[in-house]
């Protein structure tokens, strides 16, 4: 690694020894060991001695699956810091060990340094919560091949009770447990079972180039009722390629959504920016837990009907569509028709919004070149307005993901003109 790259990674002399003697031979480091972009998350972070190095310091700065390398001349200090990371949202990728930089081609007389490497395997740290009810999601080594896979499973009853207690502290324990049991026994298993089925549909019907950009089922574990309790999927890892332009990001997203809608006949319904990934194969979508098949009759299942009615009232996307419709920022009757409904228009609406703010997800910062003052950004902003507020709201020219893709191709042609 060149001196300039080490400086950009904030690598000191001790970390440099570990890089030269250990990481330089690692294909993953050669592929992902690049300096993070300004404000973006890192794939590798280094610290030594008394530099900030607690799990609380490192977790929010590291991309999911990224690695933290801690070095010190003190063996006991390395062992103590490693214990802090074990089972704290991280996995020790390399146990505490030592390395040397040899002199005169004699590795056993060089300077000795102690180190460990920890990988971020949780999406959120234990004890932390988000606005959404989430499954327990982590990275695990797959038994065959040793590669990492995504494990998504129904959370424990205790964790759901704690989540409900934070939201409604005034409720008695008995009520909290009753509500939590409904989530762990019915709601979560239902959606996880549906996600496994949807992913199999995608793999069966998407062309190969697109199938690589959505998760693939690796293994499932069911309960005695036949509901999926744990789902393992291949890891669509962010990074590993040059940054996309904003226009490339928009076009690849629209193209994938066109394939999902038209070839696989699946509606995602939750295309928030944190469900986008940018992999070595291009833009991908994840989290198909609330997806439906085109034409699916949810009314035939009372539980599903109730769950999706609630979802269409409370989801972030539906709330945003409702606000923008009332404020006049969305007038297209195609999009307005998606309010409160399971409809392709929901995906179309959020796609048009998302490609205008690609860095709103810090995981994508550094993977998309974005300048809000560029001609590209202004052209895409104008296109979004054409999608949301067409000249003739009753007959909008952009009604489908395929229409968005065609419009983007015209933008590309004008910018190249």
């Amino acid at each position: 690694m060149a001196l300039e790259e080490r400086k950009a990674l904030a690598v000191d002399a001790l970390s440099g020894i570990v890089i030269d003697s250990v990481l330089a031979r690692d294909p993953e480091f050669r592929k992902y060991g690049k300096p993070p972009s300004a404000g973006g998350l890192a794939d590798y972070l280094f610290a030594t001695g008394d530099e900030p190095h607690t799990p609380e310091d490192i977790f929010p700065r590291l991309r999911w699956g990224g690695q933290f390398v801690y070095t010190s001349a003190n063996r006991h200090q390395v062992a103590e810091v490693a214990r802090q990371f074990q089972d704290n949202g991280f996995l020790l990728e390399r146990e505490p060990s030592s390395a040397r930089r040899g002199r005169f081609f004699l590795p056993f007389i060089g300077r000795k340094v102690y180190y460990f490497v920890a990988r971020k395997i949780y999406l959120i740290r234990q004890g932390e919560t988000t606005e959404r009810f989430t499954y327990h999601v982590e990275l695990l080594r797959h038994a065959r091949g040793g590669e990492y896979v995504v494990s998504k499973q129904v959370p424990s009853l205790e964790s759901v009770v704690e989540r409900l207690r934070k939201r409604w502290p005034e409720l008695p324990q008995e009520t909290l447990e009753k509500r939590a049991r409904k989530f762990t026994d019915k709601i979560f298993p239902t959606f996880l079972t549906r996600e496994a089925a949807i992913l199999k549909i995608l793999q069966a019907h998407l062309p190969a180039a697109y199938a690589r950009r959505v998760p693939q089922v690796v293994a499932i574990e069911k309960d005695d009722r036949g509901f999926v309790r744990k789902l393992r999927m291949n890891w669509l890892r962010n990074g590993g390629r040059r940054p996309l332009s904003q226009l490339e990001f928009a076009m690849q997203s629209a193209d994938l959504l066109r394939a999902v809608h038209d070839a696989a006949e699946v509606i995602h319904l939750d295309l928030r920016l944190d469900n986008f990934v940018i992999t070595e194969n291009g833009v991908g979508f994840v989290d198909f837990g609330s997806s439906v098949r085109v034409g699916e009759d949810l009314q035939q299942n009372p539980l599903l009907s109730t769950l999706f009615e609630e979802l269409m009232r409370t989801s972030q996307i539906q709330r945003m569509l409702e606000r923008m419709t009332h404020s006049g920022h969305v007038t297209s009757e195609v999009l307005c028709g998606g309010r409160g409904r399971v409809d392709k228009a929901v995906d179309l609406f959020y796609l048009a919004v998302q490609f205008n703010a690609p860095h709103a997800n810090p995981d994508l910062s550094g993977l998309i070149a974005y300048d809000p003052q560029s001609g590209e950004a202004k052209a895409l902003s104008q296109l979004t307005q054409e999608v949301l507020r067409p000249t003739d709201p009753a007959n909008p020219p952009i009604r489908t993901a395929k229409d968005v893709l065609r419009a983007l191709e015209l933008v590309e042609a004008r910018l190249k003109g």
Side-chain angles (χ1 to χ4, degrees), residues 28-335:
E28 182 177 352
F29 181 75
R30 292 201 297 269
K31 187 173 185 178
Y32 294 95
K34 304 178 182 67
S37 63
L41 301 182
D43 287 294
Y44 280 85
L45 286 175
F46 295 83
T48 189
D50 295 328
E51 292 176 343
H53 59 258
T54 67
E56 293 77 14
D57 293 323
I58 301 302
F59 195 93
R61 298 167 51 202
L62 200 60
R63 185 170 279 133
W64 192 39
Q67 298 184 59
F68 170 61
V69 183
Y70 180 76
T71 58
S72 173
N74 187 317
R75 175 169 60 88
H76 298 291
Q77 185 178 30
V78 167
E80 175 57 32
V81 176
R83 278 193 290 270
Q84 298 174 26
F85 278 80
Q86 186 70 51
D87 299 324
N88 199 358
F90 292 84
L91 174 71
L92 291 188
E93 186 75 17
R94 296 177 184 267
E95 297 281 347
S97 186
S98 63
R100 290 181 186 271
R101 173 178 289 146
R103 296 179 180 178
F104 310 113
F105 305 102
L106 299 175
F108 51 85
I109 66 169
R111 186 180 184 184
K112 193 172 187 179
V113 59
Y114 298 92
Y115 73 96
F116 74 86
V117 181
R119 187 186 297 273
K120 177 179 174 179
I121 60 170
Y122 283 7
L123 280 175
I124 59 174
R125 293 192 63 228
Q126 290 176 315
E128 294 181 352
T129 59
T130 66
E131 292 183 359
R132 309 171 67 216
F133 269 107
T134 58
Y135 295 84
H136 178 72
V137 181
E138 63 179 314
L139 293 174
L140 297 175
R141 281 197 183 277
H142 189 42
R144 294 193 299 271
E147 296 183 351
Y148 278 95
V149 297
V150 177
S151 172
K152 184 175 185 179
Q153 68 184 77
V154 174
S156 67
L157 179 67
E158 294 75 17
S159 67
V160 178
V161 168
E162 185 60 28
R163 174 66 187 270
L164 292 172
R165 181 181 291 113
K166 290 181 178 179
R167 181 173 291 188
W168 294 289
E170 72 282 359
L171 292 180
Q173 180 70 14
E174 182 180 355
T175 302
L176 293 174
E177 290 182 358
K178 183 177 180 180
R179 292 188 180 182
R181 195 166 284 108
K182 182 178 180 180
F183 275 102
T184 58
D185 290 351
K186 292 184 178 180
I187 296 177
F188 282 127
T190 295
F191 279 115
L192 198 58
T193 302
R194 286 182 57 83
E195 181 168 16
I198 290 289
L199 293 182
K200 291 180 179 180
I201 290 172
L202 292 172
Q203 292 300 318
H205 296 284
L206 285 177
Y210 298 94
R212 289 193 292 268
R213 293 158 58 188
V214 296
Q216 182 176 358
V217 174
V218 173
I220 58 176
E221 294 181 16
K222 298 182 179 180
D223 59 22
D224 53 8
R225 302 170 299 168
F227 285 103
V228 175
R229 304 288 299 187
K230 180 182 291 186
L231 173 63
R232 292 186 179 179
M233 303 161 280
N234 64 318
W235 178 24
L236 297 182
R237 181 173 184 173
N238 275 317
R241 55 168 299 152
R242 66 170 179 80
L244 297 175
S245 70
Q246 186 187 1
L247 180 59
E248 287 175 316
F249 170 66
M251 293 182 70
Q252 289 187 22
S253 301
D255 190 29
L256 178 57
L257 184 60
R258 175 197 59 79
V260 169
H261 280 181
D262 299 343
E265 296 191 322
V266 167
I267 308 173
H268 191 285
L269 289 179
D270 195 17
L271 278 183
R272 295 170 301 104
L273 206 58
D274 53 0
N275 285 334
F276 285 69
V277 291
I278 299 180
T279 73
E280 58 187 356
N281 293 314
V283 174
F285 300 153
V286 299
D287 196 355
F288 285 81
S290 55
S291 299
V292 299
R293 289 171 284 120
V294 174
E296 182 177 1
D297 186 3
L298 299 171
Q299 299 299 321
Q300 291 190 2
N301 185 316
L303 176 60
L304 280 180
S305 176
T306 300
L307 291 176
F308 274 93
E309 285 177 7
E310 178 69 15
L311 185 64
M312 292 302 101
R313 286 197 304 270
T314 61
S315 78
Q316 175 184 333
I317 297 174
Q318 285 288 348
R319 292 198 305 268
M320 185 176 182
L321 179 56
E322 184 79 17
R323 288 195 305 269
M324 293 182 70
T325 300
H326 287 309
S327 66
H329 289 90
V330 174
T331 60
S332 167
E333 292 189 7
V334 168
L335 300 186

Side-chain angles (χ1 to χ4, degrees), residues 370-400:
Y370 171 60
D371 176 4
Q373 301 305 316
S374 68
E376 183 179 68
K378 292 176 181 178
L380 291 176
S381 178
Q382 179 61 37
L383 174 59
T384 294
Q385 290 306 307
E386 293 171 7
V387 176
L388 304 184
R389 303 181 67 210
T391 303
D392 184 358
N395 295 288
I398 299 178
R399 295 170 167 267
T400 66

